[in-house]
Amino acid sequence: MIIVGSLVIVCVMLLLGVSVFVAFGAVLAFIAVVGDQSISGYLPTGSTGIRSLVLLAIPLFMIAGGVMEKGRIAAPLVALAELFIGHLKGGLSAAAVLACGVFGSISGAANATLTCIGGIMMPHLKRANYPAGQSAALLVCASPLGLLIPPSSSHILYGWVAQQHVLKCFLSTVIPAMILITLLIITNQFMLRKYDNIELKDRPDPFMPALKAQGRVAGPALMMPIIILGGIYGGIMTPTEAAGIAVVYAIPVAIYFYKGLTWKTLAETVQRSGITIGVVMVMIFMVVIVSDNLIAQGAPQIAKDMVYSVSENPIVILLMINVVMILIGMLMDDISGLLLSTPILLPIAQSVGMDPIHFAAVIGVNLGMANITPPTAPLLYLGAQVTDTPVAKMLWPTLVFIVFAWLPTLLLTTFVPSIALWLPNLLLG
């Protein structure tokens, strides 16, 4: 009864538009009333859960992402990408996808990626006569690269929940991200074939002096992912230490080099990030308690029995896991969706032979895809605000990108284990 009641309360409240942490707070109240233990008995579980050094990386990366967003650090990255492919039809939109990937490798968050790159690229795309709805949809569909390209806040959480090597979790989604970038660009190029009035940028002539000049401007921004990822995979820094270095590096670069930030606006940025961090940590506190209670009630075994009652075919089981994760991701954000689904679905995936690191890639792609899938699609509505484009104009192109870019990436990641495991095994053994 507790398991069914908890799931019903979460789904109903989220469908009504209630905040995630409030919905899980209602579940805690339900558990306290129906269960054998008072709610105070569950509080140590949550407080112990969030007192983890690994989780400290999440707020630090959020602050770094906020500093980058307000400090104009992304603009030179976009200009550098435009320099190479801006003269080609579709080159500007391809540059937007690549910029989302580079920015995502620093911010580790889809929202920050969409807000920053979308705000920079959409005016350029409109001026060049790219179709507004399709361009906005492309930016929305590329923004979850912030969840897939390391370092990712979601994979820090997954490694913590699943007791897996965080660096291997980071690497598991690198190749899926490369596949997604390729498919998004190809799909967009195919959709642009009927537009003949797109204005192309002139390729600089001579090219090398222009490249050197833009490289000097973009250099400090490009050094950030190199420092972070090089430090992590070189064994010099832990993800938490790298997140701290990212903040320390981003602040002077944003203030003194790109001059997009002042000490006053820095304080405002940190304050806004602090509010977001507070909401996220309260949400983690709530979800950890609910998740542990569901595990204690036998939810993983019940879910496993239900799945096997439908089919024992591994392919069918993996498809069912994907459907469930997409539904969860459509109802809640990636962090709460991951915290809730990992303890329940990971044992089922392991029962059909899936490696936990492989599952890290599968859950990452699933939750990224869910965040752009209508009707809920939180990134779709955020994209409408950032790009000043009605959702109705974005809906059809978004569905095309989901079917021809995201869905193939998900299926390849799910059924070809080497896509997720090759890089972690090569670099970390």
Side-chain angles (χ1 to χ4, degrees), residues 266-276:
L266 172 63
E268 295 170 357
T269 300
V270 172
Q271 183 180 26
R272 281 194 298 271
S273 298
I275 293 170
T276 304

Side-chain angles (χ1 to χ4, degrees), residues 49-139:
I50 62 174
R51 286 202 307 267
S52 169
L53 188 60
V54 173
L55 294 187
L56 182 59
I58 295 174
L60 289 172
F61 276 126
M62 285 183 177
I63 294 173
V67 171
M68 285 187 61
E69 180 186 337
K70 298 298 180 184
R72 300 178 189 165
I73 294 180
L77 301 176
V78 172
L80 187 63
E82 286 182 20
L83 193 64
F84 282 98
I85 54 180
H87 63 288
L88 303 172
K89 184 177 180 179
L92 200 58
S93 50
V97 175
L98 295 173
C100 285
V102 175
F103 187 86
S105 71
I106 306 169
S107 69
N111 287 350
T113 302
L114 178 56
T115 303
C116 187
I117 303 300
I120 293 171
M121 286 303 306
M122 196 61 191
H124 289 276
L125 291 164
K126 286 181 176 178
R127 281 196 296 270
N129 294 325
Y130 282 80
Q134 181 178 324
S135 299
L138 180 66
L139 288 165

Side-chain angles (χ1 to χ4, degrees), residues 26 58 60 72 78 89 95 98 101 126 140 145-146 166 262 280 283 306 312 314 321 339 370 377 418:
I58 295 174
L60 289 172
R72 300 178 189 165
V78 172
K89 184 177 180 179
L98 295 173
K126 286 181 176 178
V140 167
L145 288 167
V166 172
T262 64
V280 169
M283 184 175 64
M306 289 176 63
E312 295 186 4
I321 289 173
L339 288 171
S418 58

Side-chain angles (χ1 to χ4, degrees), residues 143-356:
S143 62
L145 288 167
L147 304 176
L148 301 182
I149 296 181
S152 164
S153 299
S154 297
H155 281 94
I156 292 172
L157 276 174
Y158 175 83
W160 173 64
V161 173
Q163 298 292 299
Q164 297 298 315
H165 198 304
V166 172
L167 302 189
K168 287 188 174 183
C169 296
F170 280 172
L171 290 171
S172 68
T173 50
V174 171
I175 294 179
M178 297 301 106
I179 294 172
L180 179 62
I181 288 172
T182 304
L183 292 177
L184 284 172
I185 292 174
I186 291 173
T187 303
N188 185 65
Q189 287 293 111
F190 184 79
M191 293 168 70
L192 286 175
R193 73 193 189 284
K194 61 182 180 181
Y195 294 97
D196 298 323
N197 62 336
I198 293 175
E199 297 180 5
L200 304 181
K201 293 191 68 173
D202 294 330
R203 184 179 175 87
D205 187 22
F207 178 75
M208 288 309 297
L211 176 60
K212 289 179 181 178
Q214 188 57 48
R216 284 193 292 269
V217 176
L222 285 173
M223 282 301 297
M224 195 167 176
I226 293 172
I227 291 171
I228 294 171
L229 299 179
I232 291 174
Y233 294 112
I236 302 171
M237 297 179 273
T238 65
T240 303
E241 291 166 345
I245 293 295
V247 175
V248 172
Y249 180 85
I251 290 173
V253 168
I255 293 176
Y256 297 114
F257 191 85
Y258 294 116
K259 296 181 171 57
L261 206 65
T262 64
W263 288 107
K264 181 180 178 180
T265 53
L266 172 63
E268 295 170 357
T269 300
V270 172
Q271 183 180 26
R272 281 194 298 271
S273 298
I275 293 170
T276 304
I277 291 164
V279 172
V280 169
M281 296 311 290
V282 170
M283 184 175 64
I284 292 174
F285 178 83
M286 297 286 193
V287 178
V288 165
I289 296 174
V290 172
S291 178
D292 282 359
N293 184 268
L294 292 177
I295 292 171
Q297 298 291 331
Q301 186 59 46
I302 293 172
K304 183 177 176 181
D305 292 341
M306 289 176 63
V307 167
Y308 274 87
S309 68
V310 175
S311 175
E312 295 186 4
N313 186 311
I315 294 176
V316 175
I317 291 172
L318 290 176
L319 288 173
M320 291 172 64
I321 289 173
N322 281 329
V323 170
V324 170
M325 280 195 287
I326 289 173
L327 292 174
I328 290 174
M330 288 171 65
L331 290 173
M332 58 188 76
D333 63 278
D334 55 297
I335 290 178
S336 51
L338 184 148
L339 288 171
L340 186 63
S341 60
T342 298
I344 296 174
L345 297 179
L346 178 57
I348 301 174
Q350 287 180 295
S351 71
V352 295
M354 180 176 281
D355 187 279

